[in-house]
Amino acid sequence: MSKEIFTAKTFFDNLKEKRLMGSKCKECNALFVPSRPVCLQCGSTNLEWIESKGEGSLETFTVIHVPPVSLLTKAPYVVGIVRLDEGVSIMGRIIDVDPTEPEKIELGMRVKVVVIEENEKTVLAFKPFTTRST
Amino acid sequence: MSLARGVSLVGAGMTRFHHRIHQDKSGRELFNEAAEKAIESVDGGIDRRDLQAVFVGYFTPEAYEHQGHIGAQVTDWLGLCPVSGWRTESACASSAYAFLTGVLAIASGLYDVVLVGGVEKMTELSTEQVTDALSMAACDDYELPPGATFPGLYALLAQAYFKKYGATWEQLQAVPIKSHHNGSLNSNAQFQEEIIDIGNRWGARRGLSFKDNMEVLKSTLNRMVAYPLRLFDCCPISDGAATAILAADDVAKKYTDTPIKIKGVSATTDNLAIHDRTSLTSLRATVEAGKRAFSMAGMKPKDVDVADVHDCFTIAEILAIEDLGFFKRGEGIRAVEEGITSLKGDIPINTDGGLKCKGHPAGATGVGMIHEIWKQLRGEAGKRQISNAEIGLLHNVGGDGASCVVSIFSR
């Protein structure tokens, strides 16, 4: 059993400091972002914290037009699932894209982590970026 | 694997599901209304004191009615105390779990006859507040902060499906067109009109008229909810209750000559947050529950004559009919377009209008679906009757697929 305690609070405390944290199984190397306490692949509880680079590609997205009460003033906004380069997926707000032209939002486009503070919560978000060719 | 003791349906009853007509009634009053109909439906009659327990599904009574302790609330109002009664909660599959609990209770030998059902009284709140209540089925830590909603989660699955199979939103509209036709034949349905008729009725106020269903669906009347899903891709907010009476096979004959037998039943779970799942174009909980229920029944998908599957959003119906094995991956939409799932098709799906048109009072939905299978297998489904329906399937999903119940019934 790992000594680490993989709480959501620790995840968000790290996110506030712009670190996207996951857990990695020390037995089979499977990776989970957000962090979780039990390996889904081998069942081990021997995991360690690991930091994601926070870059990936947009796997799927939606534009929310009917929001929950807390986000009434924000709609329409974009939510997506990002496939991180480490090979795992995570949900986040997608910013710097135009919610009124969803046809122009491309699946597969490159995005990287940004952190938003909203309604006294730390919210995981991603924005498009272009990698410079070297 | 099989049940240690056989269990059958001997009665079923439901209120109409609706957004207006039940506004003056509370959840327990609706549940009573459905229960009285189930009691009346028993061919040979039943003394209510034969009911040894009540299992009731209700997703979020705390949000809608500021009420917990639903088990005692319904046994009290049904005049059944001190029989046992408790609530089961698994989001939109809450009453399928009440049904499952009833099956397990009888199969274990603890009881011989039980009432199962569910209720949800949703119209107490505004649309945004209902959106909040429903979102409690999603992962509060990691899905809600970015702003996901229930339609939004299914929209993410729809986009992934479109991308993988080259399908389009236009094709998906075969689902609500079929649902509205079936709903128009069901007196318990919330919406009993074809889409073109609703469009022209709404349009009349705005000086709009339409030639066909698709023109309505592409119009501004069909407003965007969560791209690419629009209003007619979504089930409505509803009030309603549904109940069924289960009896051990060895006592069922006392109540009816034609009990509906439970041949297979299975319940499964999957990762709560969809980003943790193995696929965005299939619900693993459905795949596994389907396999296990078919295995218990000793049947295959092609043996099913009629199925009620969980279509909270149009894409959900497509995923369900593929995940249950009725169609190959990527071929579900075309099957609906070709009418294979219509009342006259090879495998009629959601003959009652589905959640889309019958309505979706979340906690009542699973047993509401069982009610339709009960009607179909007894030949009592009127204008939407499937001839010689002998095998029926229930598929009820919690949330966006983190829990699922599949059950197979036979005449």
Side-chain angles (χ1 to χ4, degrees):
Chain A
M1 176 101 181
S2 162
K3 292 193 297 287
E4 305 287 358
I5 300 171
F6 299 100
T7 60
K9 182 178 186 306
T10 314
F11 175 86
F12 283 106
D13 285 349
N14 273 290
L15 190 62
K16 209 184 264 271
E17 304 302 323
K18 302 190 176 13
R19 287 189 296 270
L20 176 58
M21 299 302 289
S23 54
K24 185 178 176 185
C25 178
K26 289 161 101 169
E27 308 295 335
C28 77
N29 290 325
L31 180 69
F32 307 98
V33 183
S35 51
R36 58 168 62 230
V38 181
C39 176
L40 293 181
Q41 199 160 286
C42 74
S44 166
T45 53
N46 190 13
L47 293 92
E48 61 185 345
W49 283 104
I50 189 161
E51 184 176 351
S52 163
K53 273 183 67 191
E55 295 180 2
S57 50
L58 185 64
E59 203 170 9
T60 182
F61 76 93
T62 179
V63 184
I64 304 292
H65 288 261
V66 181
V69 177
S70 61
L71 294 170
L72 270 174
T73 59
K74 302 276 180 185
Y77 57 85
V78 179
V79 173
I81 293 178
V82 171
R83 188 80 177 165
L84 296 169
D85 292 344
E86 291 90 350
V88 292
S89 297
I90 189 163
M91 191 174 296
R93 186 85 50 83
I94 310 298
I95 63 166
D96 289 359
V97 291
D98 185 354
T100 65
E101 292 195 288
E103 311 77 26
K104 292 191 176 166
I105 301 174
E106 277 180 47
L107 295 186
M109 76 176 177
R110 297 288 296 160
V111 293
K112 68 176 178 187
V113 164
V114 278
V115 178
I116 303 174
E117 294 294 331
E118 180 179 84
N119 299 333
E120 292 164 16
K121 274 188 175 170
T122 303
V123 176
L124 174 62
F126 292 87
K127 67 175 183 185
F129 79 108
T130 30
T131 27
R132 267 195 212 103
S133 51
T134 49
Chain B
M1 203 194 311
S2 62
L3 295 175
R5 185 189 188 201
V7 184
S8 291
L9 278 174
V10 298
M14 64 179 284
T15 69
R16 185 179 173 189
F17 292 171
H18 208 267
H19 53 293
R20 254 194 331 268
I21 63 172
H22 299 309
Q23 273 175 357
D24 295 336
K25 296 172 200 159
S26 68
R28 71 173 167 189
E29 289 159 358
L30 286 171
F31 192 82
N32 262 43
E33 202 175 310
E36 295 307 330
K37 287 184 179 174
I39 289 168
E40 283 164 24
S41 78
V42 177
D43 295 329
I46 190 168
D47 183 328
R48 67 172 57 229
R49 282 165 299 188
D50 286 359
L51 302 171
Q52 295 164 304
V54 181
F55 304 115
V56 51
Y58 196 153
F59 175 21
T60 55
E62 299 85 353
Y64 297 125
E65 299 194 279
H66 192 262
Q67 181 70 59
H69 216 164
I70 302 300
Q73 198 204 19
V74 299
T75 56
D76 176 13
W77 231 235
L78 286 165
L80 292 175
C81 301
V83 304
S84 67
W86 62 80
R87 166 185 167 203
T88 55
E89 188 276 302
S90 196
C92 310
S94 292
S95 63
Y97 282 84
F99 160 74
L100 182 61
T101 304
V103 171
L104 298 177
I106 292 173
S108 75
L110 187 61
Y111 304 122
D112 295 328
V113 184
V114 304
L115 179 75
V116 299
V119 57
E120 204 90 18
K121 183 67 176 46
M122 303 173 77
T123 61
E124 303 287 329
L125 301 180
S126 70
T127 298
E128 287 80 9
Q129 289 170 320
V130 171
T131 301
D132 272 354
L134 291 173
S135 73
M136 289 185 210
C139 176
D140 192 66
D141 282 338
Y142 300 119
E143 291 187 308
L144 299 191
T149 60
F150 250 84
L153 293 170
Y154 275 96
L156 293 170
L157 302 178
Q159 291 271 81
Y161 185 96
F162 292 169
K163 166 97 171 164
K164 181 163 183 182
Y165 297 113
T168 64
W169 175 85
E170 282 78 4
Q171 288 182 288
L172 195 55
Q173 300 316 299
V175 175
I177 291 170
K178 169 184 69 72
S179 298
H180 274 268
H181 175 68
N182 295 354
S184 76
L185 306 173
N186 181 1
S187 61
N188 281 321
Q190 183 163 342
F191 302 127
Q192 299 176 20
E193 280 178 295
E194 303 272 359
I195 290 170
I196 177 71
D197 297 325
I198 294 176
N200 279 323
R201 187 162 53 78
W202 289 359
R205 292 175 227 150
R206 298 171 176 82
L208 299 169
S209 71
F210 301 98
K211 290 192 300 291
D212 58 34
N213 288 319
M214 204 59 202
E215 202 182 358
V216 177
L217 292 167
K218 284 185 165 177
S219 76
T220 53
L221 293 184
N222 194 15
R223 65 189 171 88
M224 196 63 79
V225 175
Y227 177 86
L229 302 181
R230 299 172 175 228
L231 185 62
F232 279 82
D233 289 284
C234 308
C235 63
I237 292 165
S238 321
D239 299 329
T243 59
I245 298 171
L246 304 180
D249 283 354
D250 47 278
V251 302
K253 289 178 289 295
K254 186 176 152 194
Y255 300 108
T256 177
D257 293 333
T258 53
I260 301 300
K261 291 191 185 323
I262 293 148
K263 305 296 281 188
V265 66
S266 177
T268 50
T269 56
D270 198 357
N271 305 112
L272 189 58
I274 61 172
H275 59 232
D276 285 327
R277 308 252 181 101
T278 48
S279 171
L280 291 176
T281 54
S282 162
L283 301 183
R284 182 174 63 167
T286 298
V287 172
E288 292 300 325
K291 272 190 208 160
R292 292 167 197 198
F294 278 119
S295 165
M296 185 189 281
M299 293 180 191
K300 292 192 158 44
K302 66 173 170 48
D303 297 322
V304 175
D305 298 311
V306 58
D308 242 48
V309 308
H310 199 87
D311 64 316
C312 47
F313 300 94
T314 44
I315 186 64
E317 179 163 324
I318 302 302
L319 299 182
I321 61 180
E322 293 181 8
D323 287 339
L324 289 165
F326 293 129
F327 300 99
K328 288 182 187 155
R329 301 240 163 262
E331 295 184 5
I333 287 192
R334 209 171 62 223
V336 182
E337 283 185 296
E338 289 172 357
I340 300 171
T341 63
S342 73
L343 294 178
K344 296 195 173 94
D346 292 343
I347 171 67
I349 301 287
N350 294 344
T351 53
D352 53 3
L355 279 56
K356 170 69 191 79
C357 287
K358 189 166 79 171
H360 183 31
T365 283
V367 173
M369 295 165 126
I370 290 172
H371 181 272
E372 177 66 3
I373 299 300
W374 157 262
K375 286 283 181 194
Q376 288 286 356
L377 299 189
R378 285 167 56 93
E380 295 173 350
K383 288 180 187 164
R384 60 184 195 282
Q385 180 64 47
I386 304 305
S387 57
N388 300 315
E390 291 188 2
I391 309 291
L393 179 142
L394 154 81
H395 164 254
N396 188 197
V397 167
D400 55 348
S403 63
C404 178
V405 172
V406 173
S407 187
I408 297 165
F409 302 84
S410 90
R411 189 163 64 186

